[in-house]
């Protein structure tokens, strides 16, 4: 469609940091966001072009990355039925490595933690968790990631037993949570995070 071609032209124009800053000043956010947040199968090309523009800003001007784009990524990453969920989670992960502040401000880390214990996307769990552990171990980003290793979310399959939930789903979530917990506790930063938080290891032991 027309908007897909416009987005393609915008992407081709992002050849330097200066060009990216100029495009950001033109306030084309609405076009990119509206195109990316479409969910019809017929709009896949338009959504992909919007995502490519977003990824260009991540690679070219990560420190100036608009929070509006981050929120759009979070929205898609949090939707189980969104066909762009996986690629949105991966894009959020890439953004977190270069601008953890904007991911934190857009609640992106909460969505990523929830994805780690989601049995439907367990193939992404390890890479998401390893990225978070890397960020937690960095003094520069650690202060922005208090929510990252959110013990309440990671351990929720053990602490929030709902009798109305299908047993298979409960078991799958328990396995996902167990796997994440083991990975975390194999690192010093993970041990420190869990043992220093009153809602962490102590709660799990009581359970």
């Amino acid at each position: 469609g027309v908007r897909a071609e416009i987005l393609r032209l915008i992407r081709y124009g992002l050849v330097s940091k200066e060009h990216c800053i100029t495009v950001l000043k033109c306030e084309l956010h609405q076009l990119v966001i509206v195109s990316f947040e479409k969910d019809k199968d017929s709009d896949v090309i338009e959504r992909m072009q919007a995502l490519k523009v977003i990824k260009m800003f991540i690679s070219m001007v990560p420190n100036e990355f608009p929070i509006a784009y981050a929120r759009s990524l979070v929205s898609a990453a949090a939707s189980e039925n969104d066909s762009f969920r996986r690629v949105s989670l991966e894009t959020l992960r890439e953004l977190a490595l270069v601008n953890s502040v904007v991911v934190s401000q857009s609640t992106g880390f909460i969505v990523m933690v929830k994805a780690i214990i989601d049995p439907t996307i367990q193939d992404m769990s390890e890479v998401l968790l390893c990225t978070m552990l890397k960020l937690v171990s960095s003094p520069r980003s650690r202060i922005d990631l208090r929510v990252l290793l959110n013990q309440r979310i990671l351990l929720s399959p053990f602490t929030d037993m709902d009798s109305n939930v299908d047993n298979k789903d409960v078991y799958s979530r328990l396995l996902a949570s167990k796997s994440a917990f083991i990975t975390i506790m194999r690192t010093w930063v993970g041990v420190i995070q869990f043992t220093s938080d009153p809602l962490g290891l102590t709660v799990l032991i009581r359970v």
Side-chain angles (χ1 to χ4, degrees):
V2 175
R3 277 190 292 204
E5 290 304 316
I6 292 174
L7 290 166
R8 192 194 307 274
L9 290 173
I10 291 174
R11 178 166 58 87
Y12 287 160
L14 303 177
V15 296
S16 67
K17 180 177 180 179
E18 291 71 25
H19 285 87
C20 289
I21 297 298
T22 300
V23 171
L24 288 176
K25 289 180 179 178
C26 291
E27 298 186 354
L28 297 172
H29 303 340
Q30 195 65 27
L31 170 63
V32 178
I33 291 171
V34 168
S35 295
F36 180 68
E37 292 187 352
K38 288 190 172 184
D39 56 5
K40 296 179 181 179
D41 292 338
S42 58
D43 296 316
V44 170
I45 295 178
E46 186 176 328
R47 293 191 75 188
M48 185 57 70
Q49 288 301 322
L51 179 62
K52 288 181 178 180
V53 171
I54 291 173
K55 290 173 76 73
M56 284 295 292
F57 284 119
I58 293 176
S59 62
M60 301 289 283
V61 285
N63 293 329
E64 287 79 25
F65 190 81
I67 192 171
Y69 292 171
R71 286 171 178 158
S72 288
L73 289 171
V74 168
S75 178
S79 177
E80 294 182 1
N81 299 320
D82 196 315
S83 59
F84 274 56
R85 185 189 185 192
R86 287 174 174 271
V87 71
S88 296
L89 279 168
E90 175 59 24
T91 305
L92 271 178
R93 187 189 72 81
E94 294 171 0
L95 176 60
L97 291 171
V98 292
N99 189 338
S100 61
V101 174
V102 74
V103 175
S104 179
Q105 291 174 342
S106 61
T107 68
F109 287 120
I110 293 178
V111 171
M112 291 168 71
V113 170
K114 288 181 178 179
I116 288 173
I117 59 173
D118 186 338
T120 65
I121 49 175
Q122 272 303 283
D123 56 308
M124 297 190 68
S125 176
E126 185 175 355
V127 68
L128 289 173
L129 187 55
C130 288
T131 296
M132 292 182 177
L133 288 171
K134 178 179 180 180
L135 290 170
V136 171
S137 64
S138 169
R140 184 176 60 181
S141 59
R142 187 180 301 139
I143 193 171
D144 304 314
L145 300 171
R146 297 297 180 183
V147 70
L148 183 149
L149 284 177
N150 190 312
Q151 285 90 336
R152 181 178 58 82
I153 296 176
L154 282 173
L155 299 179
S156 60
F158 290 96
T159 59
D160 301 337
M161 294 296 187
D162 189 344
S163 58
N164 295 321
V165 178
D166 182 80
N167 288 335
K168 291 183 178 180
D169 183 65
V170 170
Y171 184 66
S172 296
R173 286 173 55 81
L174 282 170
L175 289 179
S177 179
K178 172 187 173 183
S179 177
F181 178 72
I182 291 174
T183 299
I184 291 171
M185 294 302 287
R186 284 174 175 167
T187 67
W188 279 114
V189 66
V191 172
I192 293 172
Q193 285 282 331
F194 264 89
T195 56
S196 63
D197 192 324
L199 296 178
L201 190 60
T202 302
V203 172
L204 183 59
I205 293 174
R206 289 175 181 173
V207 171

